Amino acid sequence: MSEKLSGKHFSVIVIFILLATLIGYKLVNLQVVNGKNYLNQAQAKLKSSQIIEAPRGNILDRYGRPLVTNEIGFSVQIKKNPNSNEDINTTILNLINLFETNGEYYKDSLPISHYPYEYTFYEYDDKTRNQKINEFSYDVATNTYLSASKKIDFLCKKYNIYNYSQTDKRKIIGVRYEMEKRGFEDANLFVFATDVNKKIISVLKEQSLSFPNVEITTRPVRKYIHENFASHILGRVGIIYAEEYEKLKDKDYSMNALIGKDGIEKICESYLKGTDGKTSPQQTIDENGVYHSSEIPAKQGNNVILTIDYDLQSAAEDAMEEVILKLSANPKGSRAPSGGSVVAIDVNSGEILAMASYPDYNIKTFDEDYNDLFNNKQNPMFNRAISGTYAPGSIYKMLTSVAVLEDRIVRPDEQLFDDGAYKLGSHSFNCWIYNETGATHGFVNVSQALRDSCNYFYYKTAHKLGIERLVYYGEKFGLGKLTGIELSGESSGVLASPEYKNSIFKESWYPGDTVQSAIGQSYHLFTPLQLANYVATLANGGTRYKTHIIKTIKDSETGKTLVNNTPIVEDKIDISTRTYNAILKGMRMVATDGTASSTFRDFPVEVCCKTGSAQVVGSDATGTFVALAPYNDPQIAIAVVVENAGSGSMIAPVARRILASYFDIDDDFEINYQNNTQNIEEE
């Protein structure tokens, strides 16, 4: 029995040894004898299997008119040659010289200037800038911080850059640094430039020996139908960086993908991104003996339809530019207007119909224009519509009117006498007309107080009302709160209150703060978007909607709706009919015989509006203006803010231009400040 068992064990052991020997032989053959050959074959198959890059989805206006689409452009790529670092440096310099000679842009984000070298972290404040410099200049080997010149020497050694002029060294380092940021390696070619002009492509093909590591490919690139249009809304795309790729690689992003960097392009990245396809060199034979290559077609990204109306947006941008340039040529104060914004909103849905921030920029040339844009004192990259905050001035008086009427501090028809100066203890708060002329407005009701912007009326009624109720109504109108717009960088603003004053200044709140708050001064700071939504809420009778700029998102192939943004009610304010009618009547009188009458007296649609000027320490007053129309059935609300404009009456023509477009009016109104006589403006 034991002998039989021993025989069986022996047979199993022999078979096991034979199998192990066979497996070992196969492994040696695969990995050692023919390993290099098989690796080369695998890499050849990998490289010949090409990704078909998918076009991004289109961005359209509310009526389906294209704003951003795609076109096929040439890209210039550099492939890695592991046998020669010098070849890459030579190729880079040849490419740079070719591009610079032809005025074509290439990316260089090294934060060091050209000789004489200095660190260039311009976009940060001093504290953050110093932190960035320390992070970038730190040398682990020596535990020291390198000067910009020493950092260049360090990078020259790192990238094997020798025997070049100082200028050429810096140029090559700039591209090598960009390569490193993008994870340049054997399997990841470096995209030197996209959307390259045909002249350069021709030279590269004709002089291919001078560019041994260069490949030319075609890929979809973004096409902006209207340049310098809605730049702060649409946003831009750029090549993915290594750190971005690490976060997105599991979502089918290639290492040279174009991704949204800001605006709608970034917010809707997951929808706009298409699905890349792939071609394969491997073939199969069907039953009829026909060869077939496998291919997965690319699928275009989804289409994003905005709430923006192209015509209104164009009117808003053109009017803002015209008004600011004309004011700059004939400034009311000591300073020319530096910028501004306008927002138009559908009062019954919260949809943004137009949103312009001036100055703006060209999205297509953003990268090459970046330094100029950054150094521009007017800050064109700043989206004033959602990030700029301004004291509202007298356009806040409608909110105070709602508060004092609804809390029955005063009746709609009740008249108060303007004494010119409202006394609070030892302090006197003067009405603006008393300061200007020594006169008063006499007896005024709330509608007349809005028409004349009578500060005395609001000092007296707000003092009786108290700051707690003013804050309550301010919050109900959404002031000091985010509006919900689908863009990054929105500011919540500041609603003046005792809590805010104490938290920031460690000071108590006084009755004088309340009366200043009631006329839109004090600590109030709101965005143009918040002001537009505040007026829209008033216009529809008290329903505050969440603002939105994305209307729908649809599948680009099937047309199926993937996202449909319906109106969302954020809050409701109880505004009685008597209050509503009294306030709109006062706003209507501003347009017919008040501070905006020169702009709207002859306008064919009945407009309700309010002008304001907000005092700014050390600068000229900010002009503010709001409007709604038509008077009997409001559909659209507009807010305009222009820095250093001096008064709201000066910027009212911006709203007129938008309203003319909205109501399809052929309007020949000319903006002319040469003979403007309305220079008195309320605070």
Side-chain angles (χ1 to χ4, degrees):
M1 186 75 175
S2 61
E3 291 179 0
K4 287 182 180 181
L5 285 173
S6 297
K8 287 182 179 179
H9 286 156
F10 178 76
S11 298
V12 170
I13 291 170
V14 169
I15 291 170
F16 177 78
I17 292 172
L18 288 173
L19 287 173
T21 303
L22 181 61
I23 292 170
Y25 170 77
K26 287 288 186 182
L27 288 173
V28 170
N29 184 56
L30 282 170
Q31 298 179 8
V32 181
V33 179
N34 293 308
K36 189 172 183 179
N37 182 45
Y38 289 135
L39 177 62
N40 290 337
Q41 289 181 35
Q43 288 182 335
K45 286 182 179 180
L46 179 63
K47 290 179 179 179
S48 59
S49 178
Q50 297 181 340
I51 290 176
I52 304 172
E53 190 168 352
R56 291 173 70 81
N58 298 323
I59 302 177
L60 315 169
D61 89 334
R62 66 186 295 112
Y63 299 115
R65 291 173 289 193
L67 304 177
V68 185
T69 57
N70 304 284
E71 60 185 356
I72 298 299
F74 290 105
S75 291
V76 173
Q77 301 181 145
I78 300 176
K79 59 184 177 181
K80 195 166 188 177
N81 184 346
N83 299 320
S84 174
N85 218 1
E86 178 61 27
D87 282 351
I88 289 181
N89 292 333
T90 302
T91 297
I92 288 172
L93 186 57
N94 288 342
L95 276 175
I96 289 173
N97 291 335
L98 175 62
F99 273 62
E100 290 183 346
T101 300
N102 288 275
E104 188 80 352
Y105 174 77
Y106 65 92
K107 183 78 171 180
D108 175 355
S109 60
L110 180 72
I112 300 177
S113 68
H114 286 270
Y115 188 83
Y117 309 120
E118 293 180 356
Y119 288 114
T120 57
F121 291 95
Y122 296 128
E123 62 267 40
Y124 303 101
D125 56 48
D126 289 342
K127 181 179 179 181
T128 309
R129 180 176 182 272
N130 290 332
Q131 291 174 347
K132 292 290 182 182
I133 290 175
N134 288 339
E135 291 171 7
F136 185 72
S137 65
Y138 181 67
D139 180 20
V140 178
T142 60
N143 192 29
T144 58
Y145 297 100
L146 304 178
S147 66
S149 181
K150 292 293 185 183
K151 184 69 176 184
I152 288 290
D153 292 339
F154 171 83
L155 293 173
C156 280
K157 293 177 183 178
K158 180 178 182 178
Y159 300 136
N160 295 317
I161 301 172
Y162 305 105
N163 302 320
Y164 293 98
S165 68
Q166 294 284 4
T167 300
D168 288 347
K169 283 180 181 179
R170 169 59 186 79
K171 289 179 180 180
I172 296 169
I173 291 172
V175 175
R176 292 299 300 270
Y177 174 74
E178 190 73 18
M179 285 177 160
E180 188 175 349
K181 284 177 68 178
R182 294 197 213 158
F184 179 53
E185 57 187 33
D186 291 345
N188 180 31
L189 278 64
F190 173 71
V191 179
F192 182 80
T194 60
D195 200 15
V196 179
N197 68 55
K198 292 180 181 178
K199 183 177 179 181
I200 287 181
I201 298 301
S202 297
V203 173
L204 290 174
K205 289 180 178 179
E206 292 168 1
Q207 301 179 17
S208 58
L209 293 178
S210 299
F211 305 95
N213 302 314
V214 172
E215 288 187 357
I216 300 168
T217 62
T218 57
R219 70 185 304 181
V221 295
R222 279 317 225 180
K223 179 180 180 180
Y224 302 97
I225 306 301
H226 315 281
E227 293 189 14
N228 282 85
F229 177 84
S231 50
H232 296 95
I233 298 172
L234 300 176
R236 60 191 174 85
V237 297
I239 293 175
I240 195 169
Y241 281 119
E243 58 270 23
E244 293 171 323
Y245 175 72
E246 283 302 312
K247 296 178 181 179
L248 297 171
K249 63 183 179 181
D250 295 332
K251 297 182 179 180
D252 296 324
Y253 280 82
S254 70
M255 288 185 281
N256 281 312
L258 291 174
I259 66 168
K261 298 292 186 178
D262 51 38
I264 292 297
E265 292 279 19
K266 181 177 181 179
I267 295 297
C268 295
E269 172 63 27
S270 61
Y271 289 102
L272 288 168
K273 178 191 179 300
T275 304
D276 291 342
K278 184 182 290 186
T279 61
S280 173
Q282 296 182 354
Q283 295 181 323
T284 58
I285 305 174
D286 64 19
E287 58 185 9
N288 298 316
V290 177
Y291 286 87
H292 295 275
S293 295
S294 58
E295 178 177 306
I296 302 173
K299 183 182 183 299
Q300 183 173 349
N302 302 299
N303 293 333
V304 175
I305 295 90
L306 304 180
T307 61
I308 294 296
D309 180 332
Y310 167 74
D311 293 329
L312 263 62
Q313 182 71 21
S314 296
E317 294 185 4
D318 292 346
M320 280 296 297
E321 182 176 27
E322 184 178 349
V323 163
I324 289 177
L325 291 180
K326 286 191 174 182
L327 281 173
S328 298
N330 185 32
K332 179 180 177 182
S334 60
R335 300 189 183 188
S338 55
S341 175
V342 57
V343 178
I345 189 168
D346 186 319
V347 305
N348 296 310
S349 66
E351 292 183 349
I352 306 301
L353 302 175
M355 185 168 71
S357 179
Y358 181 87
D360 58 6
Y361 56 89
N362 189 336
I363 309 172
K364 185 177 178 66
T365 60
F366 176 85
D367 285 337
E368 54 254 62
D369 296 340
Y370 178 79
N371 287 335
D372 291 337
L373 292 171
F374 179 80
N375 292 316
N376 189 327
K377 292 181 180 180
Q378 288 182 280
N379 202 356
M381 293 186 289
F382 184 59
N383 187 353
R384 289 167 165 83
I386 65 171
S387 302
T389 55
Y390 306 90
S394 289
I395 63 174
Y396 192 79
K397 289 173 180 174
M398 287 88 72
L399 185 150
T400 305
S401 298
V402 171
V404 298
L405 290 173
E406 288 302 304
D407 279 27
R408 300 185 180 277
I409 302 299
V410 64
R411 298 185 308 277
D413 59 349
E414 183 179 351
Q415 292 189 321
L416 303 179
F417 186 76
D418 174 8
D419 285 329
Y422 186 71
K423 305 288 186 180
L424 274 177
S426 60
H427 294 281
S428 180
F429 296 89
N430 296 347
C431 192
W432 69 269
I433 195 170
Y434 187 73
N435 284 337
E436 295 282 351
T437 67
T440 76
H441 291 110
F443 284 99
V444 292
N445 60 29
V446 68
S447 300
Q448 294 163 333
L450 281 172
R451 178 196 62 195
D452 300 334
S453 208
C454 178
N455 288 347
Y456 185 94
F457 180 93
Y458 292 100
Y459 292 151
K460 186 170 185 176
T461 55
H463 183 218
K464 283 186 178 181
L465 178 74
I467 188 59
E468 290 79 11
R469 295 301 289 168
L470 270 178
V471 170
Y472 167 79
Y473 281 100
E475 290 176 343
K476 296 290 280 184
F477 274 102
L479 297 175
K481 298 180 179 181
L482 297 176
T483 69
I485 190 74
E486 309 98 318
L487 292 172
S488 59
E490 183 186 9
S491 172
S492 61
V494 175
L495 179 65
S497 68
E499 292 75 20
Y500 175 80
K501 184 180 180 182
N502 181 61
S503 66
I504 301 300
F505 302 102
K506 310 301 180 187
E507 295 177 358
S508 299
W509 186 269
Y510 297 103
D513 293 315
T514 300
V515 299
Q516 289 289 346
S517 171
I519 64 167
Q521 296 291 156
S522 184
Y523 304 103
H524 293 310
L525 290 172
F526 307 129
T527 67
L529 176 59
Q530 288 175 322
L531 293 173
N533 203 33
Y534 144 59
V535 177
T537 303
L538 174 65
N540 67 37
T543 300
R544 176 163 63 87
Y545 290 100
K546 179 178 181 180
T547 68
H548 60 280
I549 202 166
I550 299 170
K551 193 171 182 67
T552 58
I553 300 176
K554 295 187 176 184
D555 187 291
S556 60
E557 293 183 355
T558 66
K560 179 183 177 182
T561 298
L562 306 175
V563 174
N564 185 27
N565 284 333
T566 55
I568 297 175
V569 176
E570 293 277 65
D571 206 344
K572 286 195 174 184
I573 309 165
D574 292 328
I575 301 178
S576 65
T577 301
R578 67 189 188 112
T579 294
Y580 180 82
N581 290 340
I583 293 172
L584 260 64
K585 179 182 178 181
M587 294 178 70
R588 177 63 187 146
M589 289 193 292
V590 173
T592 57
D593 56 356
T595 50
S597 59
S598 64
T599 300
F600 287 105
R601 186 183 292 116
D602 65 341
F603 195 66
V605 173
E606 292 184 317
V607 175
C608 301
C609 58
K610 187 74 187 80
T611 61
S613 62
Q615 302 306 310
V616 180
V617 177
S619 185
D620 293 323
T622 297
T624 60
F625 180 82
V626 293
L628 58 91
Y631 177 24
N632 293 321
D633 182 23
Q635 300 169 26
I636 181 174
I638 300 171
V640 189
V641 178
V642 174
E643 301 154 9
N644 300 321
S647 68
S649 59
M650 306 294 278
I651 62 177
V654 174
R656 174 165 177 149
R657 188 75 59 82
I658 295 170
L659 290 170
S661 178
Y662 182 83
F663 292 107
D664 197 22
I665 297 169
D666 187 10
D667 191 24
D668 59 358
F669 179 80
E670 288 190 17
I671 301 169
N672 185 359
Y673 297 122
Q674 296 298 322
N675 300 312
N676 191 295
T677 58
Q678 279 191 312
N679 288 324
I680 296 177
E681 178 64 31
E682 73 281 0
E683 292 182 359

